C-alpha cells in the first residue's frame, strides 16, 4: 500500500449533462489575430499501448500566437470584453477600433500572475498599444519576469505569495481610474472578467473537437491542469456538453491541492501551498465562479508531485512535444490514474491530454514518493543543509530540505506547518491527526548538519557502500541525524498507508539549527507544539538515552590597561592576568558537583580572545568557559562560583581587575526516570520487534530532548548505529535504519492507537 494522497472520484459526474453553446464571435476573434493556426493534436501510440488504452493524444499549446501557453486565448478575450464593456462598445467591435478607443481613454490593464497569464495580458496590451502593469510574487524567478517585461509591461514585485499579488492588483484597479483588472480568479463582486477568460479557452477545446473528428476519433477522457480552476472550468463544461460526454479529470500539484481538498470537503477551502515547478498551478483557492460546476462535473481529481511532472516532461520531449511542467502534469495524472482500477479508463479509452505550456527552464526536483528509511536517508543526505552560523563554515541553511519535506508531506496529504522566524532557517512540523483524545507522539529530528568542508570525499553522496563489513549510507548528516529522521518519516508513511486513523496525533518536527543554538526546536515549542511523549532519533547506537548533561557558556572578562609595549609602568597585561584565573579554574573543576547517574560535571575553556597587536598591552582578555552541567547546578550557582573565584584572585593580586561574568548560552539537563511508562513502552516495543531489549544509558552529548523535557514532554533519545559524527567520513548502518523503521512504526501503533 502507498501513503500518497488518494485520487478523488465523483461517480455522479458520469451522468451530468449541460448545454454550452459556442460563444458568438469568439472563434472569429482569435482567427483575426496575426498568424492564427490551430495548435497540434499529437498522437502517442506507444504510450497508449503501455497504459492499455486505445489512444492518447496531446494538445500541444507550446506556441500560441508566439507565446508558449494557451493562456493568451482566455486573457485576450477577457481583455477584449472588459475594455469593450468599460467603454460601452459592442462585443463585435474590431481590434483596431478597440485599440483607438482604449488609447484615447488611457486604459491600463493590470493582473497578478505566476507567469503565462501575466505575459498574455501584457501581450494583449502591446497588441492594443496600451499600458500593462503586472504584479508578481517575490518567488518568481528573474527569467520569467524578463519574459513578461519583454512584452512591454511594467513589473511590480510583491512581498508575499500569489494571493498577495492578486490583492495588490485588485487594490491598483480600485484606486486608479481607467485601470482594469484582468484576473482569472473570481471572487465576490468580480465575476464577469473570469467568466470571459473561461469562455476564451473554448477556442482550444473546439480545436480539439475538430481535430478528433478529422482523425475519426471520439474522445471519452480529457485531462486538464486545474490551478485556480479557470481552464478546468472551461474543460468541464466542454466535456459535459458534448453529444457523447467525456470524463473530465483535473490535475494539480500535491503542494497546491486546493481543488482536491475542496472536493473532498464538499465545500471551497483555502489550502497552504509550497514550492512546485508547476508555477502556473500554484494556487491556494479555487475560483468562486468555477467551483459550483467543478464540484458537479469533474469525474476525478488527481494530485501529482513535481518529480512526476518532470518525468512527464522528459517523456513528452522525447516524443517531440515541447512541454513545461504544467504541460507535463496531465500526463503525470494519466500515469497515476492508469495504476488504479477505475471506471474512467479502459481498453477503448481515447484520452486527450492538455499540455498547456511550452518548454522552459526549471530546477530538477527530487522524488518525494520514496518512503522507506534507507531511501529517505539517501535523499535527505543528498540535500545540502549545512548550518550557516557555525564557525568556519559556508553553510546554506535548511530552506531546500524544508521545501522537500513540505512536498513529501503534501504528496501524502499530511498536514504540515512551516515555521521560520529567522529567514533561511525554517523548520517543518508534519502531523497525522488523531481521531480522538489518544496519546500523541512527537519525533523531533534536526535537519541541519555541520560543515561540509571537513568531509574528505563527497559529503552529499548518499551512496550505499560497505563499512566495517556492513552496508551503510555515506554522507554528511547521514548519521547525525538524517537517518533517524528518515526512520521516523518512514514510520509515519507506513502508518498513513494502513488507512487506520490513530487515536492520538503523530508529529514529525524536522527542526533547524540544532548543531548551533537549537533555534528550530525553540520555535516549535514557542508555536505551541506539545505531545504526550517524544523520541529524538539521534545516533545512539540503538541504545535509549534517558538522561544527559546540560551546558552553560560563561564569558569572563579580565581587564587590563592598553599602553605601548615599551611602557610597562602604565600598561596592564590582561592576557597575563588571565593566567591566574585559568589556574584557579583548573583547581575549581575538581570540586564540581557529582550526579549519581551522570557522574561529575565538567568544564573547559572553549575560547580565549585578547589583544590588538604584539606591540601593545591588551586591555581585555575574554575567556569563554563551557560547563557541562548536572541537575544540581544552576545558572545562579555557577555565576556565584565564578564571582567568588574572581574575587579571590583579585584579593591576592590588586592589579587583577575583571567584569562580572555573564552567561551567553544555557541549556538544561535532560532526565526522564528509567521506569517512566514511556521508557517501559519503548523497551517493550523494541523487544517485541527485535527480540532483544535496548540498553538504557546516559548520553555523552546534549540534545534538544532537554528543551522538550523542560516544557513537560517526556523525551528519550533513541536512534540508529553508525560512525563518523562530525568526522571526515560519516555513515549510518542500513540494517539499523531498517530496524528503526520497524520499531518506530510499531511504537506508533502501541502508543497512539
Amino acid at each position: 500500500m502507498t501513503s500518497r494522497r488518494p485520487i478523488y472520484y465523483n461517480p455522479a459526474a458520469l451522468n451530468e449533462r449541460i448545454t454550452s453553446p459556442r460563444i458568438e464571435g469568439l472563434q472569429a476573434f482569435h482567427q483575426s489575430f496575426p498568424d492564427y493556426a490551430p495548435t497540434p493534436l499529437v498522437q502517442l501510440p506507444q504510450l497508449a499501448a503501455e497504459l492499455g488504452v486505445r489512444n492518447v493524444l496531446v494538445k500541444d499549446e507550446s506556441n500560441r500566437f508566439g507565446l508558449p501557453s494557451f493562456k493568451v486565448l482566455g486573457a485576450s478575450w477577457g481583455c477584449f470584453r472588459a475594455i469593450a464593456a468599460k467603454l460601452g462598445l459592442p462585443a463585435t467591435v474590431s481590434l483596431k477600433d478597440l485599440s483607438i478607443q482604449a488609447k484615447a481613454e488611457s486604459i491600463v490593464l493590470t493582473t497578478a500572475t505566476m507567469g503565462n497569464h501575466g505575459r498574455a495580458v501584457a501581450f494583449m496590451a502591446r497588441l492594443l498599444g496600451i499600458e500593462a502593469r503586472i504584479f508578481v510574487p517575490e518567488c518568481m524567478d528573474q527569467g520569467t519576469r524578463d519574459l513578461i517585461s519583454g512584452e512591454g509591461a511594467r513589473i511590480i514585485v510583491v512581498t508575499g505569495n500569489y494571493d498577495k499579488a492578486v490583492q495588490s492588483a485588485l487594490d491598483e484597479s480600485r484606486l486608479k481610474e481607467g485601470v482594469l483588472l484582468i484576473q482569472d480568479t473570481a471572487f465576490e463582486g468580480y465575476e464577469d472578467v473570469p467568466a470571459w477568460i473561461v469562455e476564451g479557452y473554448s477556442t482550444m477545446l473546439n480545436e480539439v473537437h475538430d481535430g478528433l473528428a478529422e482523425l475519426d476519433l471520439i474522445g471519452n477522457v480529457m485531462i486538464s491542469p486545474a490551478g485556480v480552476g479557470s481552464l478546468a472550468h472551461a474543460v468541464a463544461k466542454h466535456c459535459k456538453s458534448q453529444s457523447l460526454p467525456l470524463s473530465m479529470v483535473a490535475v494539480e500539484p500535491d503542494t497546491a491541492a486546493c481543488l482536491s481538498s475542496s472536493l473532498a470537503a464538499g465545500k471551497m477551502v483555502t489550502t497552504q501551498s509550497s514550492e512546485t515547478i508547476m508555477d502556473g498551478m500554484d494556487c491556494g483557492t479555487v475560483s468562486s465562479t468555477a467551483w459550483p460546476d467543478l464540484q458537479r462535473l469533474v469525474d476525478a481529481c488527481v494530485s501529482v508531485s513535481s518529480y512526476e511532472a518532470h518525468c512527464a516532461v522528459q517523456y513528452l520531449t522525447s516524443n517531440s512535444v515541447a512541454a513545461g511542467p504544467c504541460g507535463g502534469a496531465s500526463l503525470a495524472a494519466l500515469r497515476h490514474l492508469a495504476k488504479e482500477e477505475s471506471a474512467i479508463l479502459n481498453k477503448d479509452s481515447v484520452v486527450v491530454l492538455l499540455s498547456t505550456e511550452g518548454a522552459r527552464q526549471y530546477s530538477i526536483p527530487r522524488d518525494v514518493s520514496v518512503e522507506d528509511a534507507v531511501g529517505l536517508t539517501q535523499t535527505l543526505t543528498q540535500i545540502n543543509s549545512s548550518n550557516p552560523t557555525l564557525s568556519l563554515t559556508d553553510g546554506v541553511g535548511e530552506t531546500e530540505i524544508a521545501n522537500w519535506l513540505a512536498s513529501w508531506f503534501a504528496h501524502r496529504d499530511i498536514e504540515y506547518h512551516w515555521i521560520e522566524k529567522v529567514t533561511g532557517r525554517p523548520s517543518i512540523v508534519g502531523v497525522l491527526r488523531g481521531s480522538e483524545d489518544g496519546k500523541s507522539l512527537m519525533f523531533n529530528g534536526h535537519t541541519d548538519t555541520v560543515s561540509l568542508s571537513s568531509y574528505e570525499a563527497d559529503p552529499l553522496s548518499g551512496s550505499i557502500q560497505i563499512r566495517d563489513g556492513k552496508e551503510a549510507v555515506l554522507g554528511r548528516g547521514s548519521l547525525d541525524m538524517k537517518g533517524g529522521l528518515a526512520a521516523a518519516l518512514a514510520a509515519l508513511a507506513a502508518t498513513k498507508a494502513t488507512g487506520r486513523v490513530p487515536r492520538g496525533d503523530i508529529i514529525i518536527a524536522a527542526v533547524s539549527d540544532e548543531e548551533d543554538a537549537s533555534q528550530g526546536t525553540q520555535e516549535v515549542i514557542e508555536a505551541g507544539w506539545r505531545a504526550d511523549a517524544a523520541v529524538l532519533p539521534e545516533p545512539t547506537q540503538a541504545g535509549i538515552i534517558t538522561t544527559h548533561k546540560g551546558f552553560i557558556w560563561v564569558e569572563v572578562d579580565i581587564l587590563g590597561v592598553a599602553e605601548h609595549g615599551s611602557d610597562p609602568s602604565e600598561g596592564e597585561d590582561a592576557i597575563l592576568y588571565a593566567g591566574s584565573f585559568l589556574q584557579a579554574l583548573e583547581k575549581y573543576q575538581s570540586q564540581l558537583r557529582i550526579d549519581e547517574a551522570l557522574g561529575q560535571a565538567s568544564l573547559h575553556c572553549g575560547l580565549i580572545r585578547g589583544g590588538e597587536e604584539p606591540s601593545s598591552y591588551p586591555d581585555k582578555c575574554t575567556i569563554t568557559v563551557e560547563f557541562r552541567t548536572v541537575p544540581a547546578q544552576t545558572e545562579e550557582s555557577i555565576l556565584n562560583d565564578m564571582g567568588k573565584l574572581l574575587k579571590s584572585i583579585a584579593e591576592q593580586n590588586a592589579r587583577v581587575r575583571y567584569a562580572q561574568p555573564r552567561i551567553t548560552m544555557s541549556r538544561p539537563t535532560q532526565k526522564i526516570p528509567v521506569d517512566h511508562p514511556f521508557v517501559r513502552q519503548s523497551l517493550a516495543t523494541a523487544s517485541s520487534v527485535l527480540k532483544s531489549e535496548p540498553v538504557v544509558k546516559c548520553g555523552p552529548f546534549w540534545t534538544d530532548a532537554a528543551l522538550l523535557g523542560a516544557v513537560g514532554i517526556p523525551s528519550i533519545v533513541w536512534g540508529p548505529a553508525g560512525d563518523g559524527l562530525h568526522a571526515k567520513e560519516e555513515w549510518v548502518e542500513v540494517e539499523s535504519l531498517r530496524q528503526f523503521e520497524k520499531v518506530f512504526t510499531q511504537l506508533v501503533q502501541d502508543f497512539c492507537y
Side-chain angles (χ1 to χ4, degrees):
M1 294 181 67
T2 178
S3 66
R4 75 175 293 172
R5 183 192 300 269
I7 296 174
Y8 172 86
Y9 292 103
N10 177 20
L14 181 66
N15 299 314
E16 290 288 349
R17 303 288 186 273
I18 65 169
T19 301
S20 182
R22 291 198 174 195
I23 309 301
E24 186 69 28
L26 173 61
Q27 201 114 358
F29 167 75
H30 285 136
Q31 289 172 349
S32 72
F33 277 48
D35 303 321
Y36 168 80
T39 53
L41 191 61
V42 181
Q43 297 193 68
L44 299 177
Q46 185 175 351
L47 178 64
E50 175 192 332
L51 300 181
V53 298
R54 182 181 174 189
N55 289 92
V56 176
L57 304 99
V58 180
K59 182 63 168 170
D60 180 2
E61 289 290 315
S62 60
N63 185 0
R64 176 73 75 170
F65 305 136
L67 298 183
S69 168
F70 77 104
K71 288 278 190 178
V72 68
L73 293 173
S76 60
W77 184 246
C79 292
F80 174 81
R81 292 297 306 272
I83 296 171
K86 174 72 174 177
L87 301 179
L89 301 173
T92 55
V93 65
S94 69
L95 275 175
K96 180 179 179 181
D97 289 341
L98 186 77
S99 172
I100 292 171
Q101 292 289 330
K103 285 188 284 189
E105 297 295 327
S106 299
I107 296 295
V108 176
L109 302 180
T110 190
T111 192
T113 186
M114 286 299 295
N116 285 321
H117 172 72
R119 188 177 177 187
V121 171
F123 164 86
M124 191 62 181
R126 179 171 60 81
L127 191 66
L128 295 172
I130 60 178
E131 183 183 354
R133 300 174 189 166
I134 311 298
F135 290 80
V136 303
E138 59 186 338
C139 63
M140 179 181 286
D141 64 274
Q142 189 59 49
T144 304
R145 296 180 196 178
D146 291 343
L147 290 172
I148 298 171
S149 61
E151 299 292 338
R154 176 188 170 196
I155 299 289
I156 301 99
V157 180
V158 175
T159 301
N161 58 15
Y162 171 76
D163 290 338
K164 292 283 183 64
V166 171
Q167 185 60 52
S168 297
L170 175 60
D171 293 342
E172 175 93 349
S173 67
R174 286 174 172 172
L175 293 173
K176 297 180 180 179
E177 184 64 29
V179 176
L180 294 182
L181 179 66
I182 310 297
Q183 200 63 51
D184 54 1
T185 306
F187 44 84
E188 187 175 352
Y190 184 78
E191 296 175 341
D192 289 344
V193 173
W196 291 328
I197 290 173
V198 170
E199 288 179 355
Y201 298 145
S202 297
T203 293
M204 175 180 63
L205 300 172
N206 291 333
E207 289 177 0
V208 171
H209 181 272
D210 296 342
L212 288 171
E214 290 177 8
L215 295 170
D216 198 23
L217 293 172
I218 299 175
N220 48 25
V221 179
M222 188 173 288
I223 303 180
S224 167
V228 76
S230 297
L231 173 62
H233 190 196
V235 173
K237 291 197 295 184
H238 173 84
C239 288
K240 299 306 180 183
S241 64
Q242 304 302 301
S243 56
L244 292 175
L246 292 77
S247 293
M248 190 279 178
V249 178
V251 56
E252 58 190 350
D254 291 329
T255 53
C258 58
L259 180 57
S260 293
S261 300
S262 297
L263 291 170
K267 61 181 181 180
M268 279 183 62
V269 297
T270 296
T271 60
Q272 176 184 12
S273 63
S274 55
E275 186 179 62
T276 176
I277 61 170
M278 293 168 274
D279 295 343
M281 300 159 67
D282 185 11
C283 306
T285 307
V286 180
S287 171
S288 61
T289 53
W291 166 246
D293 284 339
L294 292 175
Q295 185 180 26
R296 185 166 58 95
L297 304 178
V298 168
D299 293 84
C301 189
V302 183
S303 70
V304 298
S305 69
S306 288
Y307 182 76
E308 289 169 328
H310 165 67
C311 292
V313 166
Q314 290 184 306
Y315 183 88
L316 291 172
T317 301
S318 70
N319 284 271
S320 302
V321 177
C326 294
S330 297
L331 173 54
L334 174 61
R335 287 194 179 280
H336 183 30
L337 196 66
K339 293 177 183 177
E340 297 207 356
E341 294 183 8
S342 73
I344 293 178
L345 292 180
N346 57 54
K347 61 183 179 62
D348 297 319
S349 295
V350 176
V351 184
V352 177
L353 306 176
L354 300 183
S355 179
T356 54
E357 68 170 353
R360 59 178 171 84
Q361 289 187 337
Y362 58 88
S363 298
I364 297 177
R366 300 178 190 273
D367 189 4
V368 293
S369 67
V370 59
E371 49 191 30
D372 67 288
V374 176
L376 283 164
T377 301
Q378 291 182 279
T379 299
L380 293 174
T381 302
Q382 289 162 359
I383 301 173
N384 182 359
S385 57
S386 47
N387 193 312
T389 57
L390 294 174
S391 60
L392 303 178
T393 182
D394 54 354
V396 299
E398 298 88 354
T399 299
E400 183 181 352
I401 199 167
N403 274 320
W404 188 87
L405 287 166
S407 299
W408 190 90
F409 288 126
H411 188 63
R412 290 155 181 80
D413 194 20
I414 294 173
E415 174 188 339
Y416 67 91
H417 301 263
W418 185 286
I419 302 173
E420 187 177 8
K421 293 183 70 174
V422 178
T423 301
R425 310 305 304 278
S427 298
I428 292 287
V429 177
V431 54
L432 184 61
R433 292 290 182 184
S435 60
E436 51 187 274
D437 293 331
K439 289 185 291 186
S440 57
L441 179 61
M442 175 189 290
F443 292 94
N444 178 294
H446 65 85
T447 57
D448 64 319
T449 73
V450 295
S451 172
L452 305 187
S453 60
S454 60
Y455 205 89
E456 190 170 70
D458 179 5
L460 303 177
S461 163
S463 63
I464 296 178
Q465 300 182 33
I466 302 299
R467 290 295 182 271
D468 289 354
K470 303 169 185 175
E471 281 191 311
V473 178
L474 273 65
R476 176 62 76 221
S478 58
L479 181 62
D480 184 19
M481 61 173 296
K482 293 178 177 180
L485 178 59
L489 291 168
L492 184 67
T495 302
K496 178 76 162 52
T498 65
R500 294 173 54 235
V501 179
R503 292 179 63 242
D505 296 345
I506 305 163
I507 303 165
I508 304 283
V511 299
S512 63
D513 194 42
E514 190 273 349
E515 293 289 0
D516 188 12
S518 295
Q519 185 67 30
T521 291
Q522 291 185 92
E523 290 179 4
V524 167
I525 291 170
E526 290 169 7
W529 289 97
R530 298 292 187 273
D532 291 301
V535 177
L536 287 86
E538 292 272 11
T540 64
Q541 306 301 317
I544 294 178
I545 291 177
T546 58
T547 182
H548 62 65
K549 294 176 181 177
F551 68 88
I552 295 176
W553 294 352
V554 179
E555 276 190 353
V556 176
D557 290 336
I558 305 299
L559 305 178
V561 175
E563 189 54 73
H564 194 279
S566 64
D567 190 358
S569 63
E570 296 296 331
E572 299 280 356
D573 191 338
I575 294 176
L576 190 62
Y577 297 154
S580 300
F581 171 70
L582 295 175
Q583 288 179 329
L585 200 62
E586 184 178 14
K587 294 178 181 178
Y588 165 75
Q589 70 174 338
S590 64
Q591 305 165 17
L592 291 173
R593 304 289 185 89
I594 297 176
D595 182 83
E596 183 178 351
L598 293 169
Q600 188 174 30
S602 65
L603 66 82
H604 69 277
C605 295
L607 291 171
I608 184 165
R609 301 184 300 274
E612 297 294 334
E613 63 273 323
S615 61
S616 297
Y617 279 84
D619 66 348
K620 183 171 69 173
C621 179
T622 301
I623 300 164
T624 302
V625 184
E626 180 183 76
F627 291 82
R628 290 286 168 159
T629 58
V630 297
Q633 292 174 295
T634 65
E635 293 182 13
E636 293 75 15
S637 70
I638 287 176
L639 285 177
N640 186 54
D641 286 353
M642 290 297 94
K644 289 180 179 178
L645 200 67
L646 290 163
K647 183 179 179 182
S648 175
I649 296 168
E651 288 174 348
Q652 295 174 35
N653 184 350
R655 302 186 73 179
V656 175
R657 295 179 300 112
Y658 58 89
Q660 287 301 315
R662 57 195 175 275
I663 291 175
T664 59
M665 184 175 290
S666 178
R667 295 290 181 263
T669 56
Q670 158 65 10
K671 193 166 187 178
I672 179 175
V674 294
D675 60 350
H676 188 281
F678 183 59
V679 177
R680 293 203 305 268
Q681 177 66 75
S682 300
L683 289 169
T685 297
S687 296
S688 67
V689 174
L690 304 177
K691 309 307 178 187
S692 62
E693 189 172 282
V695 174
V696 178
K697 57 185 179 179
C698 299
F701 47 75
W702 188 88
T703 74
D704 282 356
L707 297 177
L708 298 177
V711 294
I713 305 174
S715 304
I716 61 173
V717 187
W718 187 22
D723 200 3
L725 294 176
H726 299 199
K728 63 182 181 181
E729 181 179 77
E730 182 178 349
W731 50 270
V732 60
E733 294 179 13
V734 165
E735 182 57 30
S736 185
L737 291 171
R738 290 172 177 155
Q739 289 178 348
F740 270 92
E741 177 179 343
K742 294 175 183 177
V743 169
F744 287 166
T745 301
Q746 188 59 49
L747 182 62
V748 166
Q749 299 291 320
D750 294 342
F751 193 76
C752 299
Y753 281 82

